[in-house]
Amino acid sequence: MNATAMTRETGTVNSILLGNGIINGSVIGTFNVVKNSGPLDITDPAANINNSMVLNITREGCGETNLCVEEPDNCDPLTDNMCQFMSSNVTVSTTTNAFNMTVRLSGYSMGYFALGLAMNASEGTSTIFACGNDTGGVFLRTFTRDNVNENLTSINRSVTVPAINLSGRSIECEFTILDLNNVETRETDGVVAVVILGNGTLNASMLNPLNIIHTERVNLTSPTGTVISAQNGARAGRSSDAMLILMSLVTLLAALQG
């Protein structure tokens, strides 16, 4: 049995607990807390977003502990305001075996900056996670995007309370996508997906169509993003992987000739 509980703090502020337990006949067993949100204002979702911290998102850990996708190649958002950047890492829940994906986004936009996950960026649909600035108020919203007509449809997707930082037109945010297995727009049990980076403007708090900046098919659980081909088990490397392989071959040939 899965369940949700709320504990009253003050007024409309509550702590939301997610948990499970066992039912034996008509007797409900102990409620096992899996996630405690901490105090949240259930009448004002925007008040729960942490926009007071400086995130300082960088390339640190890229290719080692974090998967990084960026435009232009190898840019660092800490030193380049125009760097459109995503850093992420995936963990596996010890209780549900579900993939949880922590995402750090940094982008330049007059309205919103977004991450998309898709099986094909030009067909079907994408799941969009958009961080933005609505006349000074920050937000994280989730959508389904029709990849053909570009329409955005609002959906409820389980994510943790985000941290969002605005500096001029630079948008930084950090959040965790809970149970990545339930994000339909990806392949192979949440492991392989086309990552989309994009931005857009707002019109009276409504998001205008997403402007796609970068797309790349990656293995979400690998810091290098390398995809293993399902047909023959061959490595389908990203461009960065290909460069590492080339450098290794050059080093090997030099050693052999020496």
Side-chain angles (χ1 to χ4, degrees):
M1 177 189 72
N2 295 317
T4 303
M6 290 191 294
T7 59
R8 174 80 56 180
E9 299 289 339
T10 57
T12 59
V13 176
N14 298 266
S15 294
I16 299 177
L17 309 179
L18 300 180
N20 54 37
I22 298 174
I23 297 177
N24 184 6
S26 60
V27 179
I28 298 177
T30 302
F31 181 73
N32 301 310
V33 177
V34 176
K35 180 71 175 181
N36 184 343
S37 70
L40 298 174
D41 189 336
I42 61 174
T43 65
D44 185 9
N48 302 314
I49 296 178
N50 183 354
N51 65 342
S52 61
M53 65 185 301
V54 178
L55 296 176
N56 287 331
I57 295 172
T58 73
R59 291 192 60 82
E60 183 177 356
C62 287
E64 298 176 355
T65 56
N66 300 330
L67 167 66
C68 295
V69 177
E70 69 285 314
E71 183 67 35
D73 285 346
N74 299 316
C75 66
D76 190 334
L78 187 63
T79 56
D80 182 358
N81 289 335
M82 300 302 292
C83 180
Q84 314 286 4
F85 182 83
M86 181 209 76
S87 169
S88 68
N89 57 281
V90 172
T91 58
V92 180
S93 170
T94 57
T95 56
T96 64
N97 292 324
F99 291 109
N100 297 326
M101 179 175 170
T102 297
V103 176
R104 293 162 289 275
L105 294 177
S106 180
Y108 184 86
S109 175
M110 294 180 64
Y112 69 92
F113 183 65
L115 162 72
L117 298 177
M119 288 188 284
N120 187 317
S122 58
E123 299 176 0
T125 60
S126 307
T127 301
I128 304 296
F129 302 84
C131 297
N133 176 13
D134 185 4
T135 60
V138 297
F139 65 81
L140 170 64
R141 301 177 190 171
T142 55
F143 299 86
T144 294
R145 176 182 186 267
D146 188 312
N147 294 332
V148 177
N149 61 31
E150 301 183 354
N151 287 341
L152 294 173
T153 302
S154 180
I155 58 172
N156 290 320
R157 178 63 62 196
S158 295
V159 297
T160 57
V161 175
I164 302 177
N165 180 55
L166 301 177
S167 178
R169 294 183 179 177
S170 294
I171 300 172
E172 290 186 327
C173 65
E174 181 174 344
F175 57 92
T176 298
I177 304 170
L178 301 176
D179 197 359
L180 194 62
N181 307 60
N182 283 335
V183 178
E184 295 84 358
T185 51
R186 48 84 186 125
E187 308 171 32
T188 323
D189 297 328
V191 172
V192 177
V194 174
V195 169
I196 300 169
L197 297 182
N199 59 21
T201 57
L202 278 73
N203 182 9
S205 297
M206 301 294 293
L207 271 64
N208 288 325
L210 178 71
N211 170 44
I212 294 180
I213 299 168
H214 182 90
T215 63
E216 187 170 350
R217 183 172 179 264
V218 297
N219 180 344
L220 298 173
T221 63
S222 169
T224 65
T226 301
V227 176
I228 304 297
S229 171
Q231 293 181 343
N232 54 24
R235 292 170 61 91
R238 300 168 64 197
S239 57
S240 57
D241 296 324
M243 181 59 70
L244 288 173
I245 293 170
L246 177 60
M247 292 174 63
S248 298
L249 288 173
V250 170
T251 303
L252 177 60
L253 287 173
L256 291 174
Q257 289 175 355

